[in-house]
Structure formats: structure tokens, C-alpha cells
Amino acid sequence: VITAVPLDGLGEITPGADLGGLTVDALARTAGATALVEGDVLVVAHKAISKMEGRTRRLAEVSPSPRAAELATELEKDPRVVQVVLDESVEVVRAAHGVLIVETRHGFVCANAGVDASNVGGEDVVLMLPLDPDGSARALRARLRELTGVAPGVVITDSFGRAWRTGQCDVAIGVAGVAGVEDWRGGRDSYGRELHATVIAVADQLAAAADLARRKDSQQPVTLIRGAERHVTPADGLGVTPLIRAREQDLFR
Amino acid sequence: VITAVPLDGLGEITPGADLGGLTVDALARTAGATALVEGDVLVVAHKAISKMEGRTRRLAEVSPSPRAAELATELEKDPRVVQVVLDESVEVVRAAHGVLIVETRHGFVCANAGVDASNVGGEDVVLMLPLDPDGSARALRARLRELTGVAPGVVITDSFGRAWRTGQCDVAIGVAGVAGVEDWRGGRDSYGRELHATVIAVADQLAAAADLARRKDSQQPVTLIRGAERHVTPADGLGVTPLIRAREQDLFR
């Protein structure tokens, strides 16, 4: 049984905020939540982390390159936003139909490098992904352990589109203390037959379950997931790496 | 708050089984579940539906075409399985690295057209996706309404890989009584700013949350999700259609 409880009243996250402390307070305040117990997972929308880490840029201070200006014209986007996207990227994967798909410096293939103008506050400010989301997850986990004695799994998320399906699903972009994938290859199904190609993207399914529990217009960046303890590990582990497809295995670039 | 409870003891699903009746029995038997209430969603792994509908083929009765034989050699697969995949498909999207990505007759882009040799029972039998998964979802919903007076949302799922991420996530392949996507475009975020491009793949996130609640080696094809009532609709609705990207919007084919 899995339970996903969005935490109430974290309020506005400001640069340098103690997100761990705010989370502990919010846990105490939220109906249906309790103090952290071993095996809990906290799923955190990256916006809270990015705001805490000051990962914003003022568009007034961005000078678009000719390449950014050209892409912006083609895609009908703000050239300054396109410049920020290019600054966050190592490769443009597709630019068409008003959509800019890139590979980010972290290795994520997604629209606009996760650069976001909504929910930031201030018309001319954009929010970027954390520089090192796995590091951010580890730091939040360590802070929570310090405050509570319990080290929950931490998953930092963003909403990604998909190549062949419409709509967005939340996925993991940073992970600590959670096995990102569960590998059943070589395992047995309920008939005792070997399972050949089943690797489950656990951290992404945690992200999706957490997003399901909240509304886009709520200020609930943190969701407590209880019941996923078999995926929580004492060590911080490999982070999001097991979820990123190696470029040489990529058939769609 | 979202709760996902896998139902116990549905047992082996046989052709012609009354899955609605089995589900009602299983609800009564499962700790943490109760009788259905309005707003509940039942997420059903397609294998249960496909078995009920007899969507199996015996490989001994499949004659591979030259095309299937050629692909099988290239991909190191069983030519008879490749033939079944081609029979279920309208287009081969990619064939490389041992992976066969197709568009199914339903319009899903996925590996092997969802044709599966695990969890079927009998070495030479493969299981296919339901012919009309939305129709299957509507039929199960109607049966549950008949038995209980409550029409839950129904989401039928399969595990799909993703272009740029490793591991599989469960996604919706058939939907009844659930709004497949939640469209926030034109809505306002928590700062009152307009949200530009946020369409949430609700049915896929329901599928992911349900999968998180069970183990691959359990026989728990049905998961009860409670707390998602704002996505449940009185009418059966548009099914999975809102989740399929139109071919002319597809940048990766």
C-alpha cells in the first residue's frame, strides 16, 4: 500500500531557505502525515530546490546570441529565454513546431532544458534546474537526518513531456537514498519463468505518484510517500544515473 | 492524499473470466480496501484483460514471413514472436540494438507492440494487448456498476520504455470514466500568472502510482486508487485518445 500526502504550508521558498526545516514543520502541520519514519520518501518539485539555490536569471540581463535569436524566431519564443536554454544545454536535439528539445548539462533530454517562467514570481525572471540535483537531494537528506534522526529517500522532480504521448509526467531529476530502478532481469515471474527485460523506473513512478497527489495551483512542492520502503537504501546510492539512457543506446536522436 | 492498494487473491485469470466479479470479491478480501465508493479508480494491468479476452497466440501456429525472419535475425529474436509483433503493428518505428519499436494498431508507439511472453503460462504462448482497450475499460466499468452500484474510473495499463530514460513506467492503454489529461493551459499558478504549457498526463500517473504499489512477482493485476476523485467523470469519456500524440506532432519518427 502506497500513500502520497502533499505537505501543507511550506510557503514561499526563498534563496538560502532551510527546506529541511520547513519540511519538518510542514510534516507536523499536515493532516495524514506524521513525523518521518524509516522507509519514507520525500518527493520534492525542483522549483523549491532551484529557488532555495537561487537558480534564477533576470531576462533583462540576458543578451541573446545570433543562434538564440534565430531559434527564437523559428519557434516563436522569447530570444532571451532561448539563450538561457542554450546556456543550460549541451545539444539541441529537436527544434520544430514551437518545441525546443535539448540535452541538458546533466544529460536529461527534455523541453527547454527545464527552464521555466511560471511559478517564479516576477515577470522577467526564469527558473533553471538545480546545477547538481543529486547533490541537492543528498544535502536535503543529510539535513533531514540531522533534524529528525531519520534519513528518508529524497527524489527531486520535474515535469517532462514524452516523445509519443501527450501530456507531462513528473520524473526524477535528482535522487538520494532511493534505488532509482528495480531490476527484475533474471528474476522469476509468478509462474516461475525468467523475466527477460523488466527494469522498473521506480524513482520516476515515485515522482508521478507524488504529482498525482497535488494540484498545479497549490504551493505543495513536497509530498510524503509512505509504503515504498523496499526502495529506500541506507546509502545515498547512485542518484539519477541509472535512469538516464546512455547516448550510444539512444535510437531517437 | 492518494492511496494505492493492490488487491489480493484475484488468482489466475482465464478466458471468459468475470474480472468485475473477481475484483469485487478481492476488494472484500484485501486489508486497507473497502467496498467501492464514488471517485475510486481501479488500475488494471492489461495482462488480466488480455487473458480474460483470450488475446493469446500459440507460437507453434505462427509462420514467420521473410520480413519477420530478417528482423528476427537482425535483432536476435524469435522470428515467430517478431511475426506476432508485426501482425499487431501498423509501422516499424525503429529496429536496432535488439529493440523493436513499433506503432500498434491502437496508435501506441512502444517496444514489441506490447506482445509479451512472461507471465502467460506455457512456454509457446504469447500475450497481446487487448484489441480495444478503451472498450475493455468501459465494459469492466459497466460490470462493476452493475455489481456494486458504483462506477469507478478504470485505467488499463502496460509497462512502456521511454526514448531517453532507462527503465519502464506503467502507462494507460485503455481508460473509462477518467479524464486522461488535466489541462491547466490558460489557468493560473499560485502567483496568479498564466500557465502556458501544462497538460498533465493524469491517467499515466495513475498507472505509475498503481505499479509502485505492487511487486512484479505478485499476482496483483488490480490496484485500487483512492483520492483521485477530481479526475473521475460520470461519462466514460474520451478514453486514451487524449494521451496519444498525433503523428503530425511527432518529432521522433
Side-chain angles (χ1 to χ4, degrees), chain B residues 82-125:
Chain B
V82 172
Q83 184 60 53
V84 175
V85 172
L86 293 179
D87 291 344
E88 297 292 306
S89 304
V90 296
E91 185 189 336
V92 173
V93 176
R94 288 287 189 287
H97 298 191
V99 177
L100 182 54
I101 311 285
V102 302
E103 179 181 335
T104 71
R105 294 182 181 280
H106 328 82
F108 306 128
V109 176
C110 62
N112 306 319
V115 172
D116 199 338
S118 67
N119 266 311
V120 183
E123 274 302 327
D124 68 338
V125 173

Side-chain angles (χ1 to χ4, degrees), chain A residues 1-6 12-13 31-32 47 51 93-97 99 101 107-110 117-123 125 160-173 181-182 184 188-191 193-202 204-209 211-219 225 227-228 230-231 240-246 248-253, chain B residues 1-6 12-13 31-32 47 51 93-97 99 101 107-110 117-123 125 160-173 181-182 184 188-191 193-202 204-209 211-219 225 227-228 230-231 240-246 248-253:
Chain A
V1 177
I2 295 284
T3 309
V5 184
E12 175 59 9
I13 310 295
K47 285 179 184 177
K51 288 177 186 174
V93 176
R94 288 288 188 287
H97 299 191
V99 177
I101 311 286
F108 306 128
V109 176
C110 62
S118 66
N119 267 312
V120 184
E123 273 302 328
V125 174
F160 280 13
R162 290 89 51 86
W164 303 292
R165 296 177 72 86
T166 53
Q168 300 185 317
C169 280
D170 273 21
V171 298
I173 65 164
V181 299
E182 183 174 44
W184 287 89
R188 302 274 158 179
D189 68 18
S190 51
Y191 294 89
R193 298 185 52 194
E194 193 176 337
L195 290 165
H196 289 291
T198 302
V199 177
I200 304 173
V202 168
D204 289 340
Q205 296 200 144
L206 286 162
D211 191 53
L212 198 60
R214 64 179 176 211
R215 296 172 53 92
K216 281 287 172 200
D217 57 359
S218 70
Q219 274 187 322
I225 294 195
R230 79 187 157 98
H231 305 297
V240 78
T241 307
L243 286 159
I244 300 182
R245 189 181 297 286
E248 60 273 19
Q249 296 291 330
D250 183 349
L251 304 179
F252 298 98
R253 217 183 276 215
Chain B
V1 177
I2 295 284
T3 309
V5 185
E12 175 59 9
I13 309 295
K47 285 180 185 176
K51 287 176 187 174
V93 176
R94 288 287 189 287
H97 298 191
V99 177
I101 311 285
F108 306 128
V109 176
C110 62
S118 67
N119 266 311
V120 183
E123 274 302 327
V125 173
F160 280 13
R162 291 87 50 86
W164 302 293
R165 296 176 74 85
T166 53
Q168 300 186 317
C169 280
D170 273 20
V171 299
I173 64 164
V181 299
E182 183 174 46
W184 286 89
R188 301 275 157 178
D189 68 18
S190 51
Y191 293 90
R193 297 185 54 196
E194 193 176 337
L195 291 164
H196 289 291
T198 303
V199 177
I200 304 172
V202 168
D204 289 340
Q205 296 199 143
L206 286 162
D211 191 53
L212 198 60
R214 64 181 176 207
R215 296 173 54 94
K216 282 286 172 200
D217 57 0
S218 70
Q219 274 186 322
I225 294 196
R230 78 188 159 96
H231 304 298
V240 78
T241 307
L243 286 159
I244 300 181
R245 189 180 297 286
E248 61 271 19
Q249 297 291 328
D250 183 348
L251 303 178
F252 298 98
R253 217 182 274 218

